[in-house]
Amino acid sequence: MVAVLEVRDIWKAYDTLEVLKGISFDVQKGEVKVIFGPSGSGKSTLLRVINMLTPPDKGEVFLCGQSLMDSKADLCKLRTRIGFVFQNFNLFAHLKAIDNVSIGPRLVLGMTKEEANDAAHRALEKVHMSNWSHHYPAQLSGGQQQRVGIARSIAMNPEVILFDEPTSALDPELIGEVLQVMLDLAQEGTTMVVVTHEMGFARAVSSEMIFMDKGVVVEKGTPQHFFQDAQSERAKHFLRKLEVLYGQSETEKT
Amino acid sequence: MRTAPPTCFFEMVGIGEYYPDLVSGFSMTMGLYLFALFLGLGLGIVLAISRHYGGPIVTRISTGFIEIMRGTPLLAQILLITILPYALSIPAEYTSWQIIVPDIYGIERVVLNTRILLCALALGLNSAAYQAEYFRGALSSLSAGQTLAAQSIGMTKRQEIRHIALPQSLRRAIPAWSNEAVYLPIYTSVAYIVGVPEFLSAATLVVARTYEALLVYFITAVIFLVLVSFITLLLNRIYERIRIPGV
């Protein structure tokens, strides 16, 4: 079976700063890949490279076998099949929650207004935001905005959703509601690539974790592998730091 | 003899006879204003988008236009555009056509000819340069994140500009843009210098006939003040009505 995503030897530099130095991995259908690592390790850049928001200098990305770098490929079309959830939500400020979600299906997928609204309502229901569909982003809490952001992605019915630190901009008490939605999605078999430091989430649903540092993949493995016998010094060190930060309980939870 | 104007005020201050001149002068000013404002609005949006999103050539063209229009006096622009045809020996006062309409007192007035049109055009082009910068400022103030979000759901650049960037930046631009909207009616007075029968030229005519300079110019100023206050009020209303809740 063709992998949903194939990331092949990605290199990216900003001027002289090498951010990504030869990253490769595959994402199979239904997999939840968690990418973690210190800030500046290139995680966010990597996610942006995957849907070409930041084109790489070298390397290639395939979506279900089709290259995103093919000059003949319609990039906008391919992007509709890759969802993206941003750290800062990035909702469209002038649109109500429901319109934030329905604008993609309507404008990009070419649905009629009614079809797009139906799709948007279903997506909002999934993230438990149906009661807020007529609120504007600025009238919603961070957690609610992020859930609308997730709904905006799933309404496009993508093959894979990329999450770029979806809970990092949230108050601690709002993180739970977003993680719950993500857990639900993962359990439904949604293919996901998640950049996060939420190790509880990683442990619960990730099929593989990728530890990045300074633009390279340092270590890959299952959650068990990382939490029981991480090999590299850097990964061990980083996980210890996370423990100090979030408390032992976070990594002990199942 | 003209029929008595219905305004006691102008009668009282002794310029009742010239009331119709002032009315048609004011109408001319409003005509110039509205034409220039909306030409400037349309062209200003195009200029702002092309300067903000354009490639190297398009950006340079619109930047050049904006800076030249903002960098030279409006009077010079109006003089240039009305005199240039003479230098090219086109006239017979611009090949002779005009639209004459009787005003509310039945007096025939020239409401449009080439000179007035050229003048309105100059005002509109000048205003476009200023309006473009208000819109460009609003465009640059939008968060880059929304652009990424639009791209991530597969929107084309055109869709993103049309459905995400413009609706927000046009709203945001209103307070700053109201500057242009209230300044422009006053600015149209420059047309007086090239002989367009607008409000100031009507007032000057009345002064020449009555020697009531202080009074007439004072009334002119007050009328402008009322007009500008009305425009401000209207724009505030519009802004409140269409502003994005919670922002």
Side-chain angles (χ1 to χ4, degrees), chain A residues 38-50:
Chain A
S39 28
S41 58
K43 311 177 298 280
S44 296
T45 306
L46 175 62
L47 278 201
R48 286 181 186 193
V49 163
I50 291 177

Side-chain angles (χ1 to χ4, degrees), chain A residues 60-125:
Chain A
E60 208 156 14
V61 179
F62 297 90
L63 175 70
C64 302
Q66 200 175 349
S67 171
L68 271 87
M69 303 189 64
D70 187 347
S71 54
K72 276 171 284 177
D74 182 349
L75 187 56
C76 287
K77 272 254 164 59
L78 288 171
R79 275 187 184 139
T80 63
R81 297 161 62 191
I82 306 175
F84 204 109
V85 175
F86 297 87
Q87 183 175 357
N88 296 316
F89 330 132
N90 293 342
L91 296 182
F92 305 128
H94 63 304
L95 298 178
K96 293 172 182 163
I98 180 81
D99 299 323
N100 257 285
V101 181
S102 68
I103 191 168
R106 190 165 54 83
L107 285 183
V108 181
L109 301 183
M111 290 189 192
T112 64
K113 211 167 174 193
E114 289 73 34
E115 289 169 339
N117 269 333
D118 285 349
H121 273 300
R122 278 196 302 275
L124 284 175
E125 207 156 305

Side-chain angles (χ1 to χ4, degrees), chain A residues 48 53 76 79-80 82 84 86 90-94 103 107-108 136 138-139 152 156, chain B residues 145-146 148-156 159 163-164 167-168 171 244-247:
Chain A
R48 286 181 186 193
L53 289 177
C76 287
R79 275 187 184 139
T80 63
I82 306 175
F84 204 109
F86 297 87
N90 293 342
L91 296 182
F92 305 128
H94 63 304
I103 191 168
L107 285 183
V108 181
Y136 286 86
Q139 299 169 321
R152 178 172 63 184
M156 301 293 290
Chain B
Q146 290 189 50
L148 292 178
Q151 287 174 2
S152 80
I153 56 171
M155 280 194 198
T156 59
Q159 285 173 327
H163 295 279
I164 308 299
Q168 291 185 54
R171 282 182 173 95
I244 301 161
V247 175

Side-chain angles (χ1 to χ4, degrees), chain A residues 172-189:
Chain A
E173 73 262 33
L174 300 178
I175 292 177
E177 62 190 52
V178 172
L179 285 181
Q180 190 55 52
V181 165
M182 291 169 61
L183 284 171
D184 294 346
L185 285 178
Q187 266 143 19
E188 280 170 28

Side-chain angles (χ1 to χ4, degrees), chain A residues 17-249:
Chain A
L17 181 70
E18 299 240 31
V19 185
L20 298 174
K21 295 180 266 193
I23 305 279
S24 300
F25 62 89
D26 286 359
V27 182
Q28 303 296 333
K29 194 169 168 54
E31 244 191 326
V32 176
K33 209 63 84 186
V34 166
I35 301 174
F36 70 113
S39 28
S41 58
K43 311 177 298 280
S44 296
T45 306
L46 175 62
L47 278 201
R48 286 181 186 193
V49 163
I50 291 177
N51 73 347
M52 297 295 140
L53 289 177
T54 306
D57 301 332
K58 214 180 103 188
E60 208 156 14
V61 179
F62 297 90
L63 175 70
C64 302
Q66 200 175 349
S67 171
L68 271 87
M69 303 189 64
D70 187 347
S71 54
K72 276 171 284 177
D74 182 349
L75 187 56
C76 287
K77 272 254 164 59
L78 288 171
R79 275 187 184 139
T80 63
R81 297 161 62 191
I82 306 175
F84 204 109
V85 175
F86 297 87
Q87 183 175 357
N88 296 316
F89 330 132
N90 293 342
L91 296 182
F92 305 128
H94 63 304
L95 298 178
K96 293 172 182 163
I98 180 81
D99 299 323
N100 257 285
V101 181
S102 68
I103 191 168
R106 190 165 54 83
L107 285 183
V108 181
L109 301 183
M111 290 189 192
T112 64
K113 211 167 174 193
E114 289 73 34
E115 289 169 339
N117 269 333
D118 285 349
H121 273 300
R122 278 196 302 275
L124 284 175
E125 207 156 305
K126 252 187 188 167
V127 300
H128 316 297
M129 284 294 292
S130 296
N131 294 334
W132 300 87
S133 61
H134 288 280
H135 286 68
Y136 286 86
Q139 299 169 321
L140 300 172
S141 74
Q144 291 172 325
Q145 289 188 54
Q146 191 57 295
R147 285 187 281 149
V148 174
I150 294 171
R152 178 172 63 184
S153 287
I154 58 184
M156 301 293 290
N157 204 12
E159 322 261 350
V160 53
I161 305 180
L162 315 177
F163 292 81
D164 185 10
E165 304 206 39
T167 56
S168 301
L170 296 176
D171 289 337
E173 73 262 33
L174 300 178
I175 292 177
E177 62 190 52
V178 172
L179 285 181
Q180 190 55 52
V181 165
M182 291 169 61
L183 284 171
D184 294 346
L185 285 178
Q187 266 143 19
E188 280 170 28
T190 312
T191 313
M192 298 159 69
V193 178
V194 186
V195 170
T196 186
H197 292 150
E198 294 296 334
M199 290 300 130
F201 172 81
R203 171 170 292 202
V205 293
S206 81
S207 30
E208 187 182 48
M209 295 174 69
I210 298 176
F211 177 67
M212 276 180 70
D213 190 20
K214 300 194 175 103
V216 295
V217 173
V218 177
E219 194 168 347
K220 288 186 193 184
T222 59
Q224 270 97 343
H225 165 81
F226 270 105
F227 295 121
Q228 281 156 21
D229 61 343
Q231 297 300 306
S232 63
E233 256 332 289
R234 275 189 281 177
K236 275 195 244 175
H237 182 68
F238 187 74
L239 283 167
R240 246 195 327 274
K241 269 200 191 154
L242 282 186
E243 251 170 43
V244 173
L245 194 61
Y246 293 107
Q248 188 72 21
S249 60

Side-chain angles (χ1 to χ4, degrees), chain B residues 128-143:
Chain B
Y130 286 91
Q131 294 190 39
E133 288 298 275
Y134 290 124
F135 297 135
R136 190 170 69 94
L139 279 173
S140 344
S141 78
L142 293 181
S143 67

Side-chain angles (χ1 to χ4, degrees), chain B:
Chain B
M1 195 56 212
R2 294 165 180 172
T3 46
T7 49
C8 315
F9 174 74
F10 288 96
E11 295 271 87
M12 260 156 56
V13 296
I15 55 168
E17 201 184 333
Y18 301 102
Y19 177 69
D21 297 296
L22 291 172
V23 169
S24 51
F26 184 75
S27 316
M28 178 64 73
T29 288
M30 288 307 290
L32 288 174
Y33 168 55
L34 292 174
F35 179 87
L37 186 73
F38 287 109
L39 175 63
L41 179 66
L43 188 58
I45 291 173
V46 172
L47 283 169
I49 291 174
S50 52
R51 187 169 180 183
H52 190 74
Y53 294 101
I57 294 167
V58 174
T59 303
R60 267 183 210 149
I61 291 172
S62 49
T63 305
F65 177 83
I66 290 168
E67 296 311 331
I68 287 170
M69 292 312 270
R70 295 199 309 163
T72 55
L74 174 62
L75 178 58
Q77 294 161 12
I78 289 181
L79 284 173
L80 178 73
I81 204 172
T82 50
I83 292 171
L84 200 63
Y86 281 92
L88 303 172
S89 55
I90 290 171
E93 184 60 12
Y94 308 123
T95 61
S96 242
W97 64 275
Q98 54 186 12
I99 298 173
I100 295 173
V101 174
D103 69 10
I104 43 174
Y105 300 100
I107 307 161
E108 299 206 320
R109 308 264 181 193
V110 175
V111 294
L112 196 62
N113 57 27
T114 309
R115 182 171 286 268
I116 297 172
L117 196 65
L118 287 175
C119 213
L121 209 60
L123 282 164
L125 293 178
N126 181 276
S127 183
Y130 286 91
Q131 294 190 39
E133 288 298 275
Y134 290 124
F135 297 135
R136 190 170 69 94
L139 279 173
S140 344
S141 78
L142 293 181
S143 67
Q146 290 189 50
T147 304
L148 292 178
Q151 287 174 2
S152 80
I153 56 171
M155 280 194 198
T156 59
K157 197 80 210 160
R158 187 181 288 258
Q159 285 173 327
E160 183 232 320
I161 293 172
R162 160 79 182 78
H163 295 279
I164 308 299
L166 271 189
Q168 291 185 54
S169 57
L170 290 186
R171 282 182 173 95
R172 254 188 221 203
I174 290 176
W177 182 80
S178 68
N179 241 339
E180 185 65 16
V182 301
Y183 210 68
L184 199 54
I186 301 166
Y187 231 56
T188 57
S189 313
V190 176
Y192 156 62
I193 296 186
V194 292
V196 173
E198 48 70 71
F199 198 33
L200 183 64
S201 98
T204 308
L205 175 84
V206 179
V207 171
R209 299 264 168 88
T210 62
Y211 301 112
E212 294 281 5
L214 190 61
L215 175 76
V216 173
Y217 286 134
F218 180 72
I219 293 172
T220 311
V222 169
I223 289 172
F224 269 125
L225 181 64
V226 171
L227 172 66
V228 163
S229 310
F230 173 74
I231 295 168
T232 307
L233 202 72
L234 187 69
L235 283 175
N236 283 344
R237 281 274 175 81
I238 292 174
Y239 183 61
E240 284 307 319
R241 175 166 296 187
I242 65 172
R243 67 180 299 171
I244 301 161
V247 175

